[in-house]
């Protein structure tokens, strides 16, 4: 049976361009892709089964700062307790999550989201330079997500100075503010498996051949490294 991905999109970024590109990358990794732009719908669908990988290419948070006044009505989102419980239970119970770019910004009223990802955006100190070219360094050349790949240049946003909730073993890094920041890592909360890539601001990032290859590998890696569902049920 073909594995299925649920791709959560939407928010104040060019997702109308990036989400179709990402869907094609996931399909090239052998996944059937369903789309939603409603986090609560994603929570319900995870609970009903039939989702093998949840992919977050979205940017949804409460947008409380005054500079977001003109966007708040369309894009602001507060996480209901039942949706948070559904996401947390699904991932920790053995679900697979691929979280991209703005994911650490999302769901800012739910600390557990940062615990699932291994990092969260800190509005007092997290930052990125203006979108532009920078060098991405391969930090763990033996890891299957980046094995055989060389350092590469990409036009994107280099996120940094996040609050890390785990000790991150970076697979890719980028430098700004005089510091090398992790841009790609994996995390295993509970019985779950999470891959986080902070790249992916716009369409140019998703059409970069090395970035697209890393995302294909990430999707395949999440599927391949995951134990069968019946084995998960036997685990304490």
């Amino acid at each position: 049976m073909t594995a299925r991905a649920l791709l959560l999109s939407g928010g104040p970024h060019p997702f109308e361009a990036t989400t179709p590109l990402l869907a094609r990358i996931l399909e090239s990794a052998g996944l059937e892709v369903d789309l939603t732009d409603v986090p609560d719908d994603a929570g319900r669908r995870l609970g009903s089964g039939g989702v093998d990988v949840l992919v977050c290419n979205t940017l949804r948070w409460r947008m409380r700062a005054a500079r977001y006044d003109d966007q708040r009505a369309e894009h602001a989102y507060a996480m209901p307790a039942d949706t948070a419980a559904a996401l947390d239970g699904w991932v920790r119970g053995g679900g697979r999550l691929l979280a991209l770019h703005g994911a650490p910004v999302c769901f800012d009223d739910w600390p557990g989201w940062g615990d699932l990802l291994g990092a969260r955006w800190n509005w007092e100190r997290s930052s990125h330079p203006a979108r532009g070219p920078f060098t991405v360094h391969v930090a763990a050349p033996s890891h299957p997500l980046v094995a055989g790949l060389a350092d590469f240049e990409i036009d994107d946003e280099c996120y940094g100075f996040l609050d890390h909730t785990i000790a991150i073993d970076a697979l890719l890094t980028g430098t700004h503010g005089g510091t090398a920041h992790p841009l790609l890592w994996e995390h295993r909360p509970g019985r779950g498996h999470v891959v986080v890539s902070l790249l992916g601001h716009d369409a140019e990032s998703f059409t970069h051949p090395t970035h697209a290859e890393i995302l294909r590998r990430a999707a395949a890696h999440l599927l391949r490294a995951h134990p069968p569902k019946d084995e998960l049920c036997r685990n304490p």
Side-chain angles (χ1 to χ4, degrees), residues 3-219:
R4 302 188 69 86
L6 178 60
L7 175 47
L8 175 61
S9 185
H13 253 43
F15 296 116
E16 69 283 353
T18 62
T19 289
L21 292 169
L22 176 57
R24 288 199 287 273
I25 291 169
L26 296 171
E27 289 165 353
S28 73
L31 286 155
E32 292 185 7
V33 180
D34 295 324
L35 300 174
T36 184
D37 60 3
V38 181
D40 299 341
D41 176 56
R44 288 189 292 270
R45 293 172 73 172
L46 293 175
S48 64
V51 177
D52 296 290
V53 182
L54 174 64
V55 182
C56 288
N57 185 44
T58 188
L59 188 58
R60 303 295 302 277
W61 78 105
R62 288 176 292 175
M63 307 181 80
R64 295 182 296 177
R67 63 183 178 274
Y68 300 118
D69 285 350
D70 62 340
Q71 302 178 69
R72 191 175 299 113
E74 181 178 3
H75 296 301
Y77 175 78
M79 175 70 78
D82 57 347
T83 301
L87 289 171
D88 187 73
W90 185 82
V91 174
R92 292 184 182 278
R96 289 151 283 183
L97 169 64
L98 176 58
L100 305 181
H101 193 52
V105 182
C106 291
F107 314 144
D108 60 324
D109 55 340
W110 176 34
W113 178 244
D115 296 334
L116 291 180
L117 298 185
R120 61 174 61 91
W121 188 267
N122 182 325
W123 288 96
E124 299 300 320
R125 69 186 191 95
S126 301
S127 65
H128 62 79
R131 176 197 172 277
F134 65 94
T135 301
V136 178
H137 296 281
V138 176
S142 63
H143 193 281
L145 292 188
V146 294
L149 301 180
D151 295 351
F152 58 97
E153 297 285 322
I154 194 168
D155 275 297
D156 210 322
E157 293 175 339
C158 184
Y159 279 23
F161 304 106
L162 277 65
D163 288 344
H164 297 153
T165 64
I166 61 170
I168 289 177
D169 292 323
L171 308 180
L172 297 176
T173 64
T175 299
H176 86 84
T179 301
H181 303 280
L183 298 178
L184 177 72
W185 66 87
E186 64 176 335
H187 177 36
R188 295 179 182 271
R191 295 195 296 268
H193 190 182
V194 179
V195 172
V196 180
S197 171
L198 300 185
L199 299 175
H201 174 72
D202 59 13
E204 187 168 351
S205 177
F206 285 91
T207 56
H208 189 289
T210 304
H211 184 205
E213 171 63 16
I214 289 167
L215 293 176
R216 277 191 292 271
R217 291 186 186 190

